[in-house]
Amino acid sequence: MPDINFKLLHIFIAIADNRSFRQASEKLNRSQSAVSMQIKQLEDQIGAALFHRTTRRVELTAEGLKLLTFARRALGEWENGLREIREAVDIQRGTLTFACIPTIAATILPRALQAFQANYPGISIRLRELAAADLLECIRRREVDFGIGIEMERSIEFRFDGLFDDPIYAIATEAFRFRKRTSVDMADLCAYPVLLNSRSAALRIMLDRALAARDLHMDIKFEVVHTHTLIALAAAGMGVGILPKIALPMPLKKDLRAAPIANPALIRTVSIVTLNGQSLSPAGRALTDAIRKCLKDKPGSG
């Protein structure tokens, strides 16, 4: 069956509602002959008469009654779909699904989400907190609209729009004496037991490359899942924790100190991550704008 356009269905419904070709043509601001021709076209496409025409009134045929039910449903769904699209464009209603690495989800994100929800209360947020590698896989499978993560390795598959640079720090008690107060040499770290987050695959890759470049070996004492566990172990004197600056507890407890890792400096770039060629939705752009504003308003976040 040839495609039937919505204009013909609108005309058909108008005649069915008014039980008159003349009244329908007046409401549609069309000539009665044009309306009759278009109904004839619709009947030819369907292969059945839709109206019983008499000198006194117009009645639907059995086929016309069936078509009226389906036509109203189709046009209703079309109008609902257009309304939802308009509301999404205007950021009035809809659902925004995104993924975020834990260190950002626990620090910057809450304030950005608070600002976003205040401005766009009709948008439902679905957040998935994922490690960097899992976040990329989630984006690859199109399970989320975008991610807030870091670039683990160069890839033409993903687009990374940088938000801020996040240096990697060492955190420990005074029992672990660093030769410099302003930074920690990578070689110095190798003399101490190290505490790492086992989910930070990107950080582990960065560390391994830096160690290999200087032919160094690191003693990893504990690998834990949660950052607050790593900080607690460091505070208990169990070793030197390695974590991004954004994850440092502020203010530091008086028995803890932290300094950036140097020689080489380890810095990750936190980015908005999408599939290459994929555009953010209006709601997605609004949320990323809120995140950028929070970063701009937060001293020392970059």
Side-chain angles (χ1 to χ4, degrees), residues 171-173 195 229-239 241 253 255-256:
I171 182 171
T173 64
L195 314 172
T229 306
L230 184 149
I231 295 168
L233 289 174
M238 300 299 294
K253 293 180 180 179
D255 56 338
L256 281 174

Side-chain angles (χ1 to χ4, degrees), residues 176 189-195 218-222 237-241:
F176 298 90
L189 277 179
C190 294
Y192 300 125
V194 169
L195 314 172
M218 186 172 282
D219 174 23
I220 299 174
K221 181 77 171 178
F222 290 105
M238 300 299 294
V240 179

